[in-house]
Amino acid sequence: MKARVRVTLKSGVLDPQGSAIAEALHRLGHANVANVRQGKFIELDLEEPDPTKAKAQVEAMCRDLFVNPVIETYAVEIS
Amino acid sequence: MKARVRVTLKSGVLDPQGSAIAEALHRLGHANVANVRQGKFIELDLEEPDPTKAKAQVEAMCRDLFVNPVIETYAVEIS
């Protein structure tokens, strides 16, 4: 199975990278943009035929390695 | 509209971050993991009611700012 993980800062946590991107977009003429947030994206292949088990395993990886639960949140997609 | 952009290295481009993550996962006991790739994830709000126009605008942002087309590729999701 293929897994896709999005790791983003929790809402309320200051995101200086996102703010810098928003400022750059405004300078480039994209005035109608707001609330820009930057996060991480991780894609991986998993040798696990059962989607439920695969999702549980990827969630364990998030807790073990990918995510700082104090400031970050995540979403897992299995396909 | 809300836009989500995934920016990933093209396949064939060496991804040292992804390799480091794969090694760490193997050390942590996730032996069934392969082809780990790390990318960027950008989320933003767009004041544009038309999804087609919104997507075209976000694709322009990708070309202008988010993506290095030599080594990276992107996917845009509008919701």
Side-chain angles (χ1 to χ4, degrees), chain A residues 14-70:
Chain A
L14 201 69
D15 181 357
Q17 272 187 305
S19 308
I21 294 171
E23 272 174 44
L25 287 173
H26 292 163
R27 266 200 309 276
L28 289 165
H30 299 287
N32 56 349
V33 172
N35 297 327
V36 184
R37 312 280 288 172
Q38 161 142 23
K40 285 179 289 186
F41 176 70
I42 298 158
E43 209 168 26
L44 51 87
D45 290 342
L46 204 61
E47 247 183 63
E48 170 57 67
D50 180 349
T52 314
K53 280 188 196 165
K55 189 163 187 188
Q57 198 188 338
V58 176
E59 283 172 348
M61 291 176 203
C62 287
R63 289 189 300 270
D64 291 350
L65 187 69
F66 300 157
V67 178
N68 174 353
V70 179

XYZ file of all heavy atoms in Angstrom, chain A residues 14-70:
436
model
N 2.117 29.677 15.873
C 2.665 30.641 14.919
C 3.433 29.921 13.809
O 4.224 29.019 14.085
C 3.610 31.580 15.673
C 3.882 32.925 15.008
C 2.632 33.792 15.033
C 5.020 33.642 15.737
N 3.192 30.318 12.547
C 3.844 29.669 11.411
C 4.611 30.721 10.603
O 4.085 31.289 9.643
C 2.770 28.982 10.557
C 3.368 28.266 9.358
O 4.597 28.358 9.165
O 2.607 27.619 8.621
N 5.863 31.007 10.984
C 6.620 32.065 10.294
C 6.868 31.744 8.821
O 6.845 32.647 7.984
C 7.943 32.135 11.060
C 7.869 31.152 12.165
C 6.628 30.338 12.032
N 7.063 30.463 8.497
C 7.249 30.080 7.090
C 6.002 30.420 6.280
O 6.081 30.977 5.197
C 7.500 28.578 6.989
C 8.957 28.180 7.119
C 9.141 26.695 6.825
O 8.483 25.859 7.455
N 10.012 26.369 5.910
N 4.834 30.060 6.856
C 3.570 30.363 6.182
C 3.394 31.859 5.984
O 2.968 32.308 4.913
N 3.751 32.648 7.012
C 3.614 34.106 6.888
C 4.535 34.646 5.805
O 4.152 35.540 5.032
C 3.957 34.783 8.221
O 3.227 34.200 9.267
N 5.756 34.101 5.728
C 6.698 34.556 4.695
C 6.158 34.236 3.310
O 6.257 35.054 2.380
C 8.055 33.883 4.909
N 5.569 33.040 3.153
C 4.981 32.662 1.861
C 3.836 33.610 1.504
O 3.725 34.086 0.371
C 4.484 31.200 1.899
C 5.662 30.239 2.042
C 3.688 30.870 0.645
C 5.248 28.799 2.294
N 2.967 33.915 2.495
C 1.835 34.814 2.249
C 2.338 36.175 1.783
O 1.827 36.733 0.806
C 0.993 34.944 3.516
N 3.368 36.714 2.459
C 3.917 38.019 2.062
C 4.463 37.965 0.643
O 4.238 38.877 -0.160
C 5.045 38.430 3.014
C 4.535 39.190 4.230
C 5.640 39.452 5.237
O 6.745 39.850 4.830
O 5.396 39.215 6.431
N 5.192 36.898 0.320
C 5.756 36.769 -1.025
C 4.639 36.694 -2.066
O 4.727 37.311 -3.130
C 6.640 35.529 -1.105
N 3.572 35.952 -1.753
C 2.450 35.844 -2.702
C 1.796 37.200 -2.916
O 1.441 37.562 -4.049
C 1.420 34.823 -2.200
C 1.840 33.354 -2.294
C 0.815 32.464 -1.609
C 2.017 32.922 -3.748
N 1.644 37.970 -1.828
C 1.041 39.305 -1.969
C 1.920 40.182 -2.863
O 1.428 40.879 -3.742
C 0.843 39.939 -0.587
C -0.199 39.240 0.241
N -0.314 39.401 1.605
C -1.183 38.370 -0.107
C -1.311 38.651 2.056
N -1.847 38.009 1.042
N 3.239 40.114 -2.638
C 4.167 40.898 -3.470
C 4.073 40.502 -4.946
O 4.243 41.329 -5.823
C 5.608 40.679 -2.994
C 6.113 41.716 -2.003
C 7.626 41.736 -1.958
N 8.203 40.412 -1.757
C 8.364 39.828 -0.561
N 7.999 40.450 0.540
N 8.890 38.626 -0.464
N 3.813 39.205 -5.184
C 3.729 38.715 -6.566
C 2.357 38.983 -7.198
O 2.087 38.546 -8.315
C 4.025 37.212 -6.606
C 5.482 36.810 -6.343
C 5.586 35.315 -6.054
C 6.364 37.171 -7.536
N 1.463 39.650 -6.455
C 0.182 40.039 -7.035
C -0.984 39.134 -6.646
O -2.105 39.351 -7.104
N -0.731 38.116 -5.810
C -1.842 37.250 -5.375
C -2.429 37.830 -4.091
O -2.169 37.348 -2.989
C -1.345 35.826 -5.139
C -0.781 35.176 -6.356
N -1.566 34.733 -7.390
C 0.490 34.920 -6.738
C -0.807 34.218 -8.337
N 0.445 34.322 -7.964
N -3.251 38.909 -4.267
C -3.727 39.655 -3.095
C -4.841 38.909 -2.354
O -5.099 39.182 -1.184
C -4.219 41.026 -3.534
N -5.503 37.968 -3.032
C -6.674 37.304 -2.449
C -6.325 36.042 -1.648
O -7.153 35.152 -1.486
C -7.676 36.948 -3.558
C -7.053 36.104 -4.648
O -5.823 35.954 -4.689
N -7.869 35.540 -5.512
N -5.090 35.980 -1.155
C -4.635 34.795 -0.416
C -4.508 35.118 1.069
O -4.036 36.189 1.435
C -3.263 34.338 -0.966
C -2.677 33.243 -0.108
C -3.399 33.887 -2.392
N -4.943 34.183 1.918
C -4.809 34.386 3.362
C -4.577 33.043 4.045
O -4.743 31.982 3.428
C -6.061 35.048 3.914
N -4.218 33.092 5.304
C -4.049 31.893 6.129
C -3.151 30.839 5.485
O -3.524 29.670 5.366
C -5.403 31.232 6.440
C -6.305 32.142 7.249
O -5.811 32.929 8.067
N -7.597 32.047 7.018
N -1.974 31.239 5.050
C -1.051 30.281 4.450
C -0.319 29.531 5.573
O 0.174 30.136 6.516
C -0.020 30.996 3.546
C 0.869 29.969 2.860
C -0.727 31.864 2.516
N -0.303 28.209 5.458
C 0.386 27.372 6.446
C 1.284 26.401 5.690
O 0.860 25.780 4.729
C -0.605 26.553 7.277
C -1.782 27.305 7.846
C -1.476 28.080 9.075
N -1.264 27.232 10.242
C -0.833 27.708 11.402
N -0.557 29.000 11.542
N -0.645 26.918 12.437
N 2.533 26.290 6.130
C 3.410 25.297 5.493
C 3.586 24.100 6.416
O 3.753 24.241 7.635
C 4.778 25.907 5.170
C 5.836 24.834 4.943
C 6.826 25.124 3.855
O 7.065 26.251 3.489
N 7.428 24.066 3.333
N 3.577 22.931 5.829
C 3.799 21.714 6.595
C 4.711 20.763 5.852
O 5.321 21.122 4.848
N 4.798 19.536 6.384
C 5.620 18.504 5.746
C 4.713 17.495 5.064
O 3.577 17.281 5.478
C 6.435 17.766 6.819
C 7.598 18.545 7.341
C 8.338 17.752 8.414
C 7.536 17.660 9.683
N 8.272 17.033 10.793
N 5.260 16.861 4.048
C 4.520 15.834 3.337
C 5.431 14.621 3.197
O 6.567 14.754 2.739
C 4.104 16.374 1.967
C 3.417 15.370 1.119
C 2.143 14.944 1.443
C 4.031 14.817 0.017
C 1.507 13.998 0.677
C 3.401 13.872 -0.756
C 2.132 13.467 -0.424
N 4.959 13.470 3.626
C 5.774 12.257 3.550
C 4.982 11.182 2.805
O 3.813 10.939 3.109
C 6.177 11.765 4.957
C 7.033 12.820 5.649
C 6.939 10.444 4.874
C 7.039 12.713 7.150
N 5.643 10.565 1.849
C 5.036 9.529 1.018
C 5.858 8.263 1.206
O 7.096 8.345 1.172
C 5.145 10.005 -0.430
C 4.089 9.517 -1.359
C 4.157 10.305 -2.679
O 5.245 10.811 -3.013
O 3.140 10.400 -3.349
N 5.232 7.111 1.381
C 6.016 5.885 1.532
C 5.243 4.665 1.060
O 4.011 4.685 0.986
C 6.470 5.713 2.988
C 5.449 5.806 4.118
C 4.800 4.454 4.373
C 6.147 6.273 5.388
N 5.986 3.624 0.727
C 5.386 2.340 0.355
C 5.462 1.412 1.559
O 6.488 1.365 2.245
C 6.139 1.707 -0.822
C 5.917 2.480 -2.101
O 4.955 3.259 -2.144
O 6.706 2.308 -3.037
N 4.378 0.669 1.768
C 4.275 -0.195 2.934
C 3.918 -1.595 2.451
O 2.966 -1.761 1.694
C 3.158 0.359 3.827
C 3.160 0.055 5.303
C 4.420 0.621 5.937
C 1.943 0.690 5.944
N 4.679 -2.596 2.889
C 4.339 -3.976 2.538
C 3.332 -4.500 3.544
O 3.701 -5.157 4.529
C 5.591 -4.840 2.555
C 5.957 -5.343 1.164
C 7.151 -6.248 1.187
O 7.050 -7.318 1.809
O 8.191 -5.858 0.624
N 2.073 -4.165 3.332
C 1.005 -4.540 4.262
C -0.293 -4.510 3.459
O -0.763 -3.446 3.076
C 0.978 -3.523 5.427
C -0.216 -3.635 6.350
C -0.363 -5.001 6.979
O 0.496 -5.367 7.783
O -1.341 -5.712 6.650
N -0.871 -5.696 3.168
C -2.034 -5.721 2.273
C -3.316 -5.162 2.900
O -4.215 -4.727 2.170
C -2.191 -7.212 1.944
C -1.475 -7.936 3.047
C -0.424 -7.024 3.583
N -3.414 -5.157 4.229
C -4.657 -4.727 4.886
C -4.634 -3.208 5.131
O -3.802 -2.710 5.892
C -4.776 -5.499 6.214
C -6.031 -5.121 6.988
O -6.684 -4.136 6.606
O -6.346 -5.797 7.972
N -5.552 -2.436 4.496
C -5.532 -0.977 4.637
C -5.670 -0.509 6.098
O -5.047 0.474 6.486
C -6.743 -0.513 3.821
C -7.098 -1.642 2.939
C -6.637 -2.893 3.603
N -6.506 -1.220 6.885
C -6.706 -0.808 8.282
C -5.417 -0.952 9.064
O -5.024 -0.051 9.822
C -7.816 -1.677 8.925
O -8.907 -1.758 8.015
C -8.281 -1.072 10.228
N -4.739 -2.108 8.887
C -3.464 -2.326 9.577
C -2.414 -1.330 9.086
O -1.612 -0.822 9.865
C -2.967 -3.753 9.343
C -3.636 -4.776 10.236
C -2.952 -6.131 10.088
C -3.822 -7.238 10.656
N -3.365 -8.566 10.212
N -2.422 -1.075 7.753
C -1.445 -0.134 7.189
C -1.632 1.236 7.820
O -0.668 1.883 8.246
C -1.628 -0.050 5.672
N -2.886 1.677 7.937
C -3.158 2.999 8.516
C -2.694 3.051 9.970
O -2.068 4.028 10.401
C -4.654 3.314 8.421
C -4.939 4.750 8.797
C -6.294 5.246 8.359
C -6.361 6.732 8.651
N -7.667 7.299 8.444
N -2.985 1.979 10.735
C -2.566 1.939 12.136
C -1.049 2.020 12.238
O -0.499 2.717 13.115
C -3.089 0.667 12.791
N -0.363 1.322 11.327
C 1.105 1.340 11.379
C 1.652 2.727 11.048
O 2.587 3.209 11.706
C 1.674 0.288 10.418
C 3.127 -0.043 10.739
C 3.796 -0.918 9.712
O 3.136 -1.623 8.971
N 5.119 -0.876 9.684
N 1.064 3.368 10.048
C 1.556 4.702 9.668
C 1.264 5.699 10.797
O 2.067 6.594 11.074
C 0.945 5.157 8.328
C 1.370 6.567 7.995
C 1.375 4.221 7.215
N 0.126 5.525 11.482
C -0.162 6.408 12.622
C 0.863 6.202 13.739
O 1.248 7.156 14.417
C -1.598 6.192 13.111
C -2.585 6.895 12.175
C -4.041 6.581 12.470
O -4.315 5.652 13.253
O -4.900 7.271 11.880
N 1.298 4.955 13.904
C 2.364 4.692 14.891
C 3.655 5.401 14.487
O 4.354 5.978 15.327
C 2.584 3.185 15.024
N 3.972 5.378 13.165
C 5.167 6.094 12.680
C 5.060 7.584 12.972
O 6.043 8.225 13.327
C 5.306 5.915 11.165
C 5.670 4.522 10.724
S 5.670 4.470 8.913
C 5.429 2.727 8.658
N 3.851 8.128 12.798
C 3.641 9.555 13.068
C 3.979 9.851 14.522
O 4.705 10.803 14.818
C 2.192 9.945 12.790
S 1.806 9.994 11.044
N 3.459 9.023 15.428
C 3.703 9.251 16.850
C 5.179 9.042 17.190
O 5.749 9.763 18.011
C 2.838 8.314 17.700
C 1.355 8.673 17.673
C 0.582 7.859 18.698
N 0.686 6.414 18.437
C -0.172 5.745 17.655
N -1.183 6.366 17.085
N -0.024 4.453 17.451
N 5.815 8.020 16.540
C 7.213 7.687 16.856
C 8.200 8.705 16.296
O 9.245 8.957 16.901
C 7.594 6.321 16.255
C 6.889 5.170 16.951
O 6.270 5.417 18.004
O 6.953 4.045 16.429
N 7.907 9.250 15.110
C 8.972 9.949 14.385
C 8.536 11.240 13.687
O 9.240 12.245 13.760
C 9.546 8.993 13.324
C 10.779 9.458 12.562
C 11.975 9.505 13.481
C 11.070 8.543 11.375
N 7.391 11.224 13.009
C 7.084 12.328 12.098
C 6.586 13.588 12.801
O 6.813 14.697 12.329
C 6.012 11.914 11.076
C 6.381 10.763 10.196
C 5.393 9.995 9.587
C 7.706 10.434 9.955
C 5.715 8.934 8.760
C 8.044 9.365 9.137
C 7.036 8.619 8.541
N 5.851 13.386 13.911
C 5.044 14.486 14.449
C 5.489 14.872 15.856
O 5.758 14.003 16.681
C 3.552 14.063 14.470
C 2.689 15.149 15.065
C 3.090 13.730 13.063
N 5.568 16.161 16.117
C 5.709 16.677 17.473
C 4.295 17.010 17.972
O 3.719 18.034 17.571
C 6.585 17.933 17.460
C 6.645 18.584 18.820
O 5.942 18.183 19.739
N 7.492 19.582 18.945
N 3.714 16.156 18.821
C 2.296 16.315 19.155
C 1.981 17.593 19.935
O 0.820 17.974 20.050
C 1.987 15.075 20.009
C 3.309 14.647 20.534
C 4.340 15.029 19.514
N 3.005 18.255 20.443
C 2.762 19.506 21.176
C 2.300 20.605 20.215
O 1.393 21.374 20.525
C 4.032 19.956 21.936
C 3.783 21.267 22.661
C 4.481 18.879 22.905
